[in-house]
Amino acid sequence: MNAVEIEQAITDLAERPFDLAEFPYLFLEAFGNKSTTIKRLRAGASNKSDVGGVLQTSNIHILTCDAGLVTQTLAALKASPATAKAKAKFILATDGAGFEAEDLTSGETVACAFKDFPDHFGFFLPLAGISTVHQISENAFDIRATSRLNRLYVELLKDNPTWGTAERRHDMNKLMARLIFCFFAEDTDIFVGKGRFTETVAQMSARDSSNTHEVLATLFRAMNTKREDRAAAKIPRWAEDFPYVNGQLFSGGDEVPRFSKIARSYLLHVGGLDWTKINPDIFGSMIQAVAEDEERGELGMHYTSVPNILKVLNPLFLDDLRAKLEEAGDNPRTLLNLRKRMARIRVFDPACGSGNFLVIAYKEMRAIEAEINRRRGEQDHASEIPITNFRGIEVRDFPAEIARLALVIAEYQCDVLYRGQKLALAEFLPLRNENWITCGNALRLDWLSICPTTGTGVRVQADDLFGSPLDQAEIDFANTGGETYICGNPPYKGTKNQSASEKEDLRSVFDGFTRRSGTLDYVAGWFLKAAVYASHTKADFAFVTTNSICQGGQVPVLWPVLFDLGCEIKFAYQSFKWRNLASQNAVVTVIIVGVSRNAGSVRRLFQVGQDKNNTELTTNLIGPYLIPGSDVIVEGRTSPLSSIAPMQLGNAPYDGGNLILERGEADRIGLSQHDHERWLRDLWGSTEVINGSPRKCIWIEEASLSDAMENSIIRGRIEAVKAMRCASTDAGTRAMADRPHQFREMNSGAKSALVIPIRSSEFRPYLPVDLVDPNCCVTNLAYAIYDGPLMNLAVIASRLHLVWIGAVCGRMKTDFSYSNKMGWHTFPILTLTDKNKTDLTRCAEDILLAREHHFPATIADLYDPENMPADLRAAHDRNDEVLERIYIGRRFKNDTERLEKLFDLYTKMTASAAPAKGKKRKAGANA
């Protein structure tokens, strides 16, 4: 369960009649415990409570009690020996009226009325394995509001199914945006009287909900009508007190779907929340999940924590503004100059979604401006930072309009915080009419027109926020000139997941720069668009992105283009997990790359540790592999750069599974021992090597085919392969139908084979590699060196090679993804003497002997970093020392020194063969 689903479950629990005996089990069920777990607790099998409660080991101890005894009961739970013995993280006591709990790890407590305990659901999220607890606790309102809005949205679609169609989607989205604004406005005095909107709906609509839609439509019409025009518009007296909002929010029609009694109840419940607590930076993305059918099933997945957003914004420009504020001290002139500079800064997110990055940037800049005003004694000074300087592009209409609404709300909240509610209210309404958040395909739009260099841009303006473009209108920047900072979290989508139109997007962006755009992640388009934009005006940019664009084969395609446009990496975050509101494993591995045409002499390289703390390294250069001190780009090779054996990908079956036999299946074919040896071989891929357990495959040479076809089972499998290949839409696969008894390749060793898995866990201290019997088949899920010297195993199994692979090869999340062309054939090794080769061979033998000593332990067992045997670790240490002494006469101090040496050696070894560097490309108008 995610956070939104949990909130909904405990809200339902709080609203049902309190059951003294059932509450503990219902509470655990609300946090995602399975029915089998609850059943064991009920039976007492796993319930270790010693005070008559419910105790879940390593989780929580719950005890219900008689009225008025909640505090004493919580004390008894804390003193319980069973609580400590079971290592419970939480204790909870309730009598159905009061509710108290404590986090035994942090000492934090909750004490509230029972009906209010859902307000504290974030406190208990560790029970569901959710890690972003602090951020969720701070933003619990956003999740509660989203949960209730989701229920309203779904209920409305039940009774108004046409409103869920593509044709009416924008009408439904418009309704949600209007309601969000009204709920916020009624709780923040924008509407006269707290709760006025919800109270009016409750009073004027019938309890059977028959006219709820008419009441809402009337209110919306009032808010779209100027006061002097209301008599002519026949606005009823009960709606006259609502202000004229304008801003196109209530224009474009006032049709509202019909409400059932349940939907009306949900509407009033949503309005009953305290909307002064809204966080527009977070709430927007949550609402986006409500409005998108394909995303509603993953509510909570869209939360992007403020600390993560600040990883982008701080080093991009906010750190510099704060440093300038610190330098200014109390000097009024210097402070004034900084304020003027900030007023001209534009922040541009060309994949803005619901505006998270823009809102956070705006709020952080307002905080700096407020401190400037305080130091100058001008606390009432109106903000000079216009929200129209925070521009975005979003491909979907609803998130684009929510982004604009979020900025409007953020502006009002900042005015209240820094200038007081009276001044904030005086300047809030009517809203602006301009749409400075553009809805469209960012890779097809002209960024220079949306966020122009001259201060005025051409922008599509619509009749209402959700309508179609009508004409072109100019929207001036309130303050011309200044700096532009481009930021955001564009869509990732690897090459295999891109649609035909997305591939065409990339081709159009990279036209004139490279013909190899088909190998790039979709996010690469944003990097090039930003680089071209920056070539026309002063602009730095930073994006959250998959680590793929700084690894493997994408580096030599993308980064030479960016470098030719004058770009340099100003700062970067190496790979880390970008978490959200879902459980701990719902993460995506990302990097952050900040780019500038004037990066300066000090570059900042960040690492996020296991403790989530950031480590910063300053350096004079950051290369495209996000390592310090080198901007070398490694090109893949079909043959080794050094004196090592060539490596090739294993044999691809293209068989529909018919040539491969699962474990034990080979014994059921009914072959004699002789035929078994003739027609079957051990099959090794990544999983088989790591787990030490090969499967079998049918391996038939031409001379044996007629004999093999006499076996009905083998014949049936071969015929199935032929049928599968003939039916394929791929011409290469169809061409193999003439030899259905064989893999695409039929490579094997005469004496030996080294097998290297394609995928390997980042947690293993060394890359997995094994020596296998020559009479085997290596699949295309692994690489092989056939009949090569054993010393190659020593090189592959070294720390030196692991850090090279980690830097230049692609990764699957943060796990290693091996490549022969990028990782092995490029690996730089000095010319080896006969003694070097002999020493490395002995090291390889020692590693294999140490493994053999622990038979039948597998590579997975032996290379568990917590349980690696001492003799195997010692064998690897000797191997590392022998290899590293060949390079520099001693052990390297650390991985940074290893990479510096390897890249330096790679540069020297490839220099003589490198083509002359061409002229830098001129920046085109493809911004």
Side-chain angles (χ1 to χ4, degrees):
M1 297 177 72
N2 62 48
V4 175
E5 293 166 332
I6 291 169
E7 188 282 329
Q8 183 169 324
I10 64 170
T11 296
D12 292 342
L13 176 58
E15 292 174 352
R16 65 189 296 175
F18 179 72
D19 188 317
L20 201 71
E22 285 296 304
F23 175 81
Y25 304 110
L26 296 173
F27 183 86
L28 290 171
E29 187 177 343
F31 280 89
N33 281 269
K34 297 179 180 179
S35 57
T36 52
T37 302
I38 301 296
K39 186 176 181 180
R40 286 197 300 270
L41 285 169
R42 286 183 183 277
S46 59
N47 183 5
K48 306 300 181 183
S49 177
D50 57 355
V51 291
V54 174
L55 173 56
Q56 189 176 40
T57 301
S58 301
N59 225 11
I60 190 170
H61 199 173
I62 307 173
L63 183 59
T64 54
C65 58
D66 294 333
L69 299 178
V70 175
T71 301
Q72 299 94 309
T73 301
L74 192 73
L77 286 169
K78 191 168 185 178
S80 159
T83 297
K85 185 177 180 181
K87 298 180 179 179
K89 298 183 181 76
F90 295 90
I91 51 175
L92 187 165
T94 183
D95 60 359
F99 183 99
E100 294 185 21
E102 181 174 346
D103 181 335
L104 296 176
T105 303
S106 68
E108 293 184 42
T109 60
V110 166
C112 62
F114 179 83
K115 64 181 179 60
D116 296 328
F117 86 82
D119 291 336
H120 304 278
F121 79 98
F123 181 83
F124 296 101
L125 285 176
L127 298 176
I130 295 177
S131 61
T132 50
V133 176
H134 180 65
Q135 293 92 339
I136 294 173
S137 297
E138 289 182 343
N139 300 290
F141 170 81
D142 303 290
I143 301 163
R144 297 208 71 195
T146 301
S147 176
R148 295 192 184 192
L149 280 170
N150 179 58
R151 281 188 263 182
L152 171 61
Y153 192 98
V154 172
E155 187 64 29
L156 286 173
L157 290 183
K158 284 182 183 177
D159 297 311
N160 303 272
T162 60
W163 283 68
T165 62
E167 293 76 16
R168 301 223 60 182
R169 173 70 62 81
H170 83 284
D171 294 327
M172 193 68 176
N173 292 345
K174 183 198 302 185
L175 172 69
M176 300 305 291
R178 289 174 172 179
L179 290 175
I180 292 165
F181 177 83
C182 290
F183 293 140
F184 173 72
E186 71 173 344
D187 284 352
T188 52
D189 291 332
I190 294 170
F191 294 166
V192 177
K194 184 174 178 62
R196 185 65 179 274
F197 173 76
T198 302
E199 289 176 2
T200 300
V201 174
Q203 292 169 2
M204 301 307 300
S205 65
R207 291 195 174 186
D208 65 1
S209 74
S210 57
N211 69 334
T212 304
H213 63 293
E214 296 171 352
V215 171
L216 287 172
T218 301
L219 289 172
F220 295 160
R221 188 158 51 91
M223 286 181 260
N224 191 44
T225 306
K226 294 179 180 179
R227 290 195 176 276
E228 59 267 27
D229 299 329
R230 290 190 175 183
K234 297 182 180 180
I235 301 297
R237 186 183 300 274
W238 54 267
E240 283 186 353
D241 286 342
F242 286 87
Y244 170 56
V245 176
N246 198 5
Q248 313 299 345
L249 182 59
F250 293 97
S251 64
D254 52 26
E255 186 181 1
V256 176
R258 289 186 170 273
F259 278 64
S260 65
K261 290 175 67 175
I262 295 175
R264 178 180 180 273
S265 175
Y266 284 160
L267 177 72
L268 300 180
H269 281 158
V270 178
L273 295 172
D274 181 4
W275 283 76
T276 60
K277 298 177 181 178
I278 185 175
N279 289 281
D281 45 305
I282 302 302
F283 186 69
S285 58
M286 303 293 290
I287 294 303
Q288 179 179 333
V290 171
E292 301 292 340
D293 282 342
E294 66 273 16
E295 296 175 7
R296 196 177 307 117
E298 298 184 2
L299 282 169
M301 299 294 286
H302 301 273
Y303 175 91
T304 305
S305 70
V306 174
N308 272 344
I309 292 174
L310 289 176
K311 285 184 175 71
V312 177
L313 298 178
N314 280 340
L316 180 61
F317 73 100
L318 290 176
D319 284 346
D320 179 63
L321 293 180
R322 296 188 189 106
K324 292 296 188 289
L325 177 64
E326 184 69 21
E327 292 173 11
D330 293 322
N331 186 304
R333 181 171 294 278
T334 309
L335 289 167
L336 180 61
N337 289 338
L338 178 59
R339 188 169 73 190
K340 289 180 177 179
R341 174 192 167 191
M342 291 174 60
R344 294 192 299 272
I345 288 176
R346 307 91 174 281
V347 181
F348 176 39
D349 183 349
C352 70
S354 48
N356 301 33
F357 281 80
L358 298 175
V359 170
I360 293 296
Y362 177 78
K363 290 169 71 174
E364 293 293 322
M365 288 179 66
R366 284 294 302 270
I368 296 170
E369 184 191 45
E371 178 58 20
I372 292 173
N373 293 341
R374 187 193 67 78
R375 293 184 189 183
R376 286 177 52 85
E378 299 174 339
Q379 286 89 336
D380 290 340
H381 186 81
S383 175
E384 296 180 15
I385 301 174
I387 58 172
T388 50
N389 275 16
F390 295 78
R391 303 203 171 185
I393 302 173
E394 167 55 33
V395 70
R396 293 170 294 182
D397 66 342
F398 184 61
E401 305 314 327
I402 288 296
R404 177 174 175 262
L405 183 57
L407 278 166
V408 169
I409 291 173
E411 181 185 41
Y412 176 78
Q413 289 178 328
C414 288
D415 282 344
V416 171
L417 179 62
Y418 300 125
R419 303 182 63 223
Q421 187 148 352
K422 184 177 180 180
L423 287 174
L425 284 170
E427 299 175 4
F428 185 64
L429 293 178
L431 300 178
R432 295 174 177 85
N433 289 333
E434 304 95 345
N435 297 346
W436 65 95
I437 305 294
T438 303
C439 184
N441 182 341
L443 296 189
R444 297 288 187 165
L445 292 173
D446 178 5
W447 292 10
L448 287 167
S449 71
I450 294 165
C451 196
T453 61
T454 58
T456 299
V458 177
R459 165 67 186 97
V460 176
Q461 183 168 348
D463 178 57
D464 70 82
L465 290 182
F466 296 84
S468 302
L470 297 180
D471 57 11
Q472 297 287 319
E474 289 186 347
I475 296 178
D476 292 343
F477 278 109
N479 302 286
T480 61
E483 310 139 51
T484 301
Y485 296 101
I486 305 173
C487 60
N489 188 3
Y492 304 149
K493 289 196 176 181
T495 56
K496 294 181 180 178
N497 297 322
Q498 293 167 19
S499 66
S501 63
E502 288 165 341
K503 290 182 182 295
E504 186 55 38
D505 288 343
L506 279 185
R507 278 194 292 269
S508 69
V509 171
F510 281 88
D511 183 37
F513 293 97
T514 179
R515 296 179 179 178
R516 299 163 67 188
S517 64
T519 65
L520 294 173
D521 195 311
Y522 195 48
V523 73
W526 274 259
F527 275 84
L528 181 55
K529 292 277 284 188
V532 173
Y533 179 96
S535 70
H536 290 278
T537 185
K538 180 177 173 54
D540 291 354
F541 59 94
F543 294 123
V544 183
T545 172
T546 46
N547 49 17
S548 57
I549 68 160
C550 286
Q551 296 172 351
Q554 295 203 43
V555 171
V557 177
L558 174 64
W559 286 96
V561 175
L562 300 183
F563 290 159
D564 282 352
L565 286 167
C567 292
E568 302 171 306
I569 297 178
K570 176 181 177 182
F571 73 91
Y573 273 82
Q574 294 176 335
S575 294
F576 69 97
K577 292 178 172 60
W578 183 270
R579 297 184 181 274
N580 50 42
L581 282 188
S583 56
Q584 289 178 348
N585 61 350
V587 298
V588 59
T589 301
V590 301
I591 55 176
I592 296 171
V593 184
V595 178
S596 174
R597 287 170 58 86
N598 183 23
S601 59
V602 177
R603 319 290 174 87
R604 307 169 70 186
L605 187 60
F606 298 91
Q607 292 179 324
V608 181
Q610 293 294 323
D611 57 1
K612 301 180 187 176
N613 292 323
N614 299 334
T615 301
E616 179 178 348
L617 169 70
T618 57
T619 178
N620 65 342
L621 182 65
I622 299 175
Y625 299 103
L626 305 190
I627 59 174
S630 173
D631 60 358
V632 174
I633 293 176
V634 177
E635 291 274 3
R637 297 175 58 92
T638 56
S639 60
L641 175 66
S642 307
S643 56
I644 49 180
M647 181 186 293
Q648 61 192 84
L649 187 64
N651 304 294
Y654 289 93
D655 66 331
N658 293 290
L659 296 179
I660 297 174
L661 307 174
E662 298 301 325
R663 294 172 186 86
E665 196 174 3
D667 297 331
R668 297 193 292 272
I669 291 183
L671 299 178
S672 67
Q673 183 64 30
H674 175 66
D675 289 342
H676 189 287
E677 292 173 357
R678 290 173 68 197
W679 301 328
L680 300 185
R681 286 193 175 189
D682 285 346
L683 184 78
W684 296 95
S686 291
T687 302
E688 290 79 10
V689 171
I690 291 170
N691 294 328
S693 181
R695 291 182 290 169
K696 292 287 185 180
C697 70
I698 297 172
W699 187 272
I700 301 174
E701 303 288 353
E702 292 296 335
S704 304
L705 178 59
S706 58
D707 290 344
M709 292 294 282
E710 293 180 6
N711 181 287
S712 60
I713 296 177
I714 289 182
R715 183 174 64 252
R717 284 176 171 265
I718 291 173
E719 290 171 350
V721 173
K722 184 167 186 174
M724 170 264 168
R725 290 179 179 176
C726 287
S728 176
T729 57
D730 178 70
T733 303
R734 290 198 303 274
M736 290 188 288
D738 291 339
R739 52 183 187 93
H741 56 292
Q742 293 183 335
F743 284 47
R744 184 180 66 183
E745 299 87 14
M746 295 289 284
N747 298 318
S748 62
K751 297 179 180 178
S752 67
L754 289 178
V755 188
I756 305 94
I758 283 182
R759 303 276 183 263
S760 176
S761 168
E762 63 174 318
F763 298 111
R764 291 195 186 97
Y766 297 97
L767 292 170
V769 55
D770 206 1
L771 180 69
V772 300
D773 189 286
N775 189 33
C776 71
C777 172
V778 179
T779 77
N780 60 334
L781 296 179
Y783 290 98
I785 295 177
Y786 298 112
D787 300 322
L790 187 58
M791 57 150 276
N792 290 283
L793 184 146
V795 177
I796 295 167
S798 67
R799 178 72 188 179
L800 203 60
H801 190 55
L802 180 140
V803 299
W804 178 258
I805 292 298
V808 305
C809 287
R811 292 202 181 204
M812 182 63 68
K813 297 183 179 178
T814 55
D815 288 343
F816 295 109
S817 185
Y818 202 90
S819 166
N820 62 335
K821 294 179 181 178
M822 288 301 303
W824 179 246
H825 290 167
T826 63
F827 187 62
I829 300 179
L830 293 166
T831 302
L832 300 175
T833 66
D834 288 342
K835 184 178 186 310
N836 294 153
K837 295 176 182 178
T838 299
D839 290 343
L840 289 172
T841 301
R842 175 59 60 87
C843 288
E845 291 170 345
D846 289 345
I847 290 171
L848 293 174
L849 287 171
R851 292 182 188 175
E852 187 67 23
H853 178 70
H854 297 280
F855 181 82
T858 65
I859 284 177
D861 301 327
L862 294 172
Y863 289 87
D864 180 340
E866 301 296 326
N867 299 298
M868 189 172 178
D871 58 341
L872 181 58
R873 190 180 294 276
H876 275 282
D877 285 341
R878 287 193 298 273
N879 182 58
D880 285 337
E881 178 157 359
V882 168
L883 184 60
E884 292 180 10
R885 283 187 179 279
I886 293 172
Y887 281 82
I888 59 171
R890 61 170 173 82
R891 291 295 297 271
F892 287 102
K893 296 175 182 177
N894 50 45
D895 288 345
T896 299
E897 190 181 25
R898 289 183 177 94
L899 284 174
E900 287 175 351
K901 180 63 180 178
L902 289 171
F903 274 100
D904 178 62
L905 185 57
Y906 175 84
T907 303
K908 292 174 180 176
M909 293 178 71
T910 56
S912 60
K917 190 172 183 179
K919 295 180 181 180
K920 289 187 176 182
R921 293 180 176 87
K922 293 181 180 179
N926 195 25

